[in-house]
Amino acid sequence: MTATEQRFREFKMPDVGEGLTEAEILKWYVQPGDTVTDGQVICEVETAKAAVELPSPYEGVVHAVHFEEGATVDVGTSIIAVDTDPGAGPAEAPAPAAEAPAAAEEDAEPQGRQAVLVGYGAAPSSTKRRARKPQPGVPAQEPAAAAARTGLNGHAAAEAAPAPAAEAAPAASAPAAVPAAGRPLAKPPVRKLAKDLGIDLAAVTPTGPDGVITREDVHAAAAPAPAAEATAPQPAVGAVTGAATGSEAVRARETRIPVKGVRKATAQAMVNSAFTAPHVTEFITVDVTRTMKLVQGLKQDPDMAGLRVNPLLLVAKALLVAIKRNPEVNAAWDEENQEIVRKDYVNLGIAAATPRGLIVPNIKDAEAKTLPQLAAALGELVTTAREGRTAPGDMAGGTVTITNVGVFGVDTGTPILNPGESAILAFGAVKLQPWVHKGKVKPRQVTTLALSFDHRLVDGELGSKVLADIAAILEHPKRLITWA
């Protein structure tokens, strides 16, 4: 490391989760010229699991911020440069790694996982890198590369020397044969932009140096191009124009929202779960009048003072008691070893809707907690999730989950399993309904429960027993004592 590199230290995007490969910069807390200390929070980033604040590993003055807020950055890419010796006078900082991704790819292959804040980092990629750019003085393949670059910049036909007609066809097809490695040249932010816009980089004409695709090239490819109107017959022109106008009118009334961060991870997880685990959902409608009265009584209990007491708390406790009575339901499927993994602990997940999307943090060892402890854990979990402070570790290792769809006035649903879990309970809205109670029709508080489970792990009998136990406890909450 040179003296300049020792002075200007580059902080690279760390892996803030287990093996995550990218993160979006949500907010910068520092700007060039600001003084930073070791451990000071410099920015907030969002991964596929959570929003995390990144501390500076260096002390000094911020020399440069390499990405704007909202940019998605690959793990291992430099995001900020810090001058660790600002009193030494002016000096030219080395180019950040983010500005020359090609050089980083060409010079060396990754040698194992990098050090990260949390976890072990992303595994080395097995993808082949594109070949080194030809250097001056190296005649091999230089004419072809020059022709390719010229073709990619759109000047081959106009500026090339006259050639016989027989040679014109290969020259005209040169742009289609480039790049040699089969991968268009573009920096990571440009690739991200193309992905968000649904643009295939192979179909984009580059205008940057050495055939590199720029952001302007991607935007140009995304814009509608009515090029065929000039040469088409008159009837076709009207048809094309009408179709284009209609298409543009439709797009003007649409809003496209990039799928990233938590929402992207949730979508992928739900698809994987739905098409991996064979789901079965059972339903039961139950009179929870006594449970609702117990909730009101607990709110007045001195031991529950300051705690969040609501029906969800007793539903969670009922589920934990049902699992204790039917421990086989608390398991996971090991596809690789073809084994069922029975778990002697319950990490109870609570599905939480946040501005960034759905997350499922869990309460570790929930089965061992008293009712006040469970209430405190639930309150902390919900508050942390809404504030976007849920740590990646709080969302790992769940065994079963509760989703409280009743808060939206919904009777119930058919919830999809959180990946790796055996069951998920949907708690519907509690409504006053006519109900036969002690031989007479009376208004009672009633709800519908739905239990989805992995049919590889849980058969119909076991799933029915678990759901029936939950309902029995909510109908007669004294069973929380007699069955516990």
Side-chain angles (χ1 to χ4, degrees):
M1 182 180 293
T2 66
T4 302
E5 291 174 337
Q6 284 279 6
R7 174 178 171 181
F8 294 93
R9 305 305 296 270
E10 297 286 343
F11 177 42
K12 298 179 180 180
M13 176 68 74
D15 175 10
V16 294
E18 286 289 343
L20 299 178
T21 59
E22 64 182 17
E24 178 187 357
I25 297 177
L26 296 179
K27 184 176 181 180
W28 282 109
Y29 295 113
V30 296
Q31 295 297 329
D34 291 352
T35 300
V36 295
T37 58
D38 187 0
Q40 176 182 338
V41 174
I42 57 175
C43 68
E44 181 182 16
V45 301
E46 181 184 37
T47 69
K49 294 184 176 181
V52 180
E53 292 180 334
L54 297 184
S56 170
Y58 310 116
E59 183 171 338
V61 174
V62 177
H63 178 75
V65 171
H66 300 318
F67 292 93
E68 297 179 354
E69 294 178 356
T72 299
V73 183
D74 292 336
V75 169
T77 302
S78 178
I79 59 174
I80 189 172
V82 178
D83 184 354
T84 59
D85 189 13
E92 183 177 353
E99 295 297 321
E105 293 175 354
E106 295 162 1
D107 291 344
E109 291 292 332
Q111 302 297 323
R113 298 189 175 208
Q114 300 180 351
V116 298
L117 292 182
V118 181
Y120 302 98
S125 171
S126 60
T127 305
K128 294 183 179 180
R129 304 298 184 187
R130 54 187 171 85
R132 184 188 298 270
K133 293 187 293 185
Q135 301 295 326
V138 181
Q141 299 181 346
E142 187 168 338
R149 291 195 298 271
T150 304
L152 283 171
N153 283 289
H155 304 299
E159 299 177 5
E167 299 176 0
S173 63
V178 179
R183 186 185 185 194
L185 308 183
K187 293 183 178 179
V190 178
R191 294 185 183 277
K192 176 63 177 173
L193 174 64
K195 182 179 179 181
D196 291 341
L197 296 178
I199 300 299
D200 183 3
L201 287 177
V204 177
T205 301
T207 61
D210 298 323
V212 174
I213 297 173
T214 65
R215 296 178 65 89
E216 291 72 19
D217 297 334
V218 175
H219 284 300
E229 294 180 14
T231 58
Q234 187 64 32
V237 170
V240 171
T241 303
T245 302
S247 178
E248 292 174 4
V250 171
R251 283 197 294 269
R253 300 167 60 190
E254 298 175 342
T255 301
R256 291 182 173 267
I257 303 172
V259 180
K260 53 188 176 180
V262 173
R263 194 172 299 276
K264 179 179 179 180
T266 301
Q268 293 173 341
M270 292 299 97
V271 170
N272 291 339
S273 176
F275 293 98
T276 301
H279 284 56
V280 174
T281 305
E282 294 185 339
F283 308 88
I284 191 169
T285 302
V286 58
D287 176 3
V288 294
T289 304
R290 293 184 179 92
T291 290
M292 300 304 290
K293 290 180 179 179
L294 178 58
V295 169
Q296 296 305 316
L298 289 173
K299 289 181 178 180
Q300 309 302 322
D301 192 317
D303 291 335
M304 305 296 287
L307 298 175
R308 186 192 299 264
V309 179
N310 53 27
L312 178 62
L313 172 62
L314 295 186
V315 171
K317 194 63 176 178
L319 175 58
L320 292 171
V321 172
I323 292 174
K324 181 179 180 181
R325 287 168 55 84
N326 304 275
E328 299 86 355
V329 76
N330 191 42
W333 182 269
D334 186 340
E335 180 66 29
E336 182 178 355
N337 296 313
Q338 289 295 294
E339 294 175 340
I340 294 176
V341 183
R342 186 86 42 83
K343 300 182 178 181
D344 298 327
Y345 57 91
V346 181
N347 291 344
L348 180 61
I350 304 295
T354 73
R356 296 190 179 98
L358 177 70
I359 63 173
V360 188
N362 59 74
I363 300 172
K364 301 295 190 289
D365 298 318
E367 83 288 351
K369 296 185 181 299
T370 63
L371 193 63
Q373 291 172 340
L374 186 61
L378 275 171
E380 175 65 20
L381 179 148
V382 172
T383 300
T384 303
R386 288 176 177 172
E387 295 176 354
R389 297 186 292 106
T390 302
D394 293 337
M395 293 182 284
T399 60
V400 294
T401 292
I402 298 175
T403 176
N404 185 10
V405 297
V407 296
F408 306 110
V410 175
D411 290 337
T412 190
T414 54
I416 297 177
L417 293 169
N418 205 29
E421 298 185 8
S422 60
I424 178 170
L425 177 69
F427 174 35
V430 177
K431 298 179 179 180
L432 198 63
Q433 296 183 14
W435 193 263
V436 178
H437 178 66
K438 297 181 178 179
K440 296 181 180 180
V441 177
K442 296 182 179 181
R444 303 286 287 181
Q445 292 178 295
V446 177
T447 190
T448 300
L449 305 172
L451 183 70
S452 292
F453 49 86
D454 186 341
H455 215 346
R456 297 172 300 179
L457 299 163
V458 182
D459 58 26
E461 179 185 9
L462 177 58
S464 299
K465 286 182 177 180
V466 172
L467 187 57
D469 279 356
I470 298 170
I473 293 170
L474 295 178
E475 185 172 11
H476 297 283
K478 65 181 181 181
R479 292 187 171 117
L480 287 172
I481 301 174
T482 59
W483 286 2

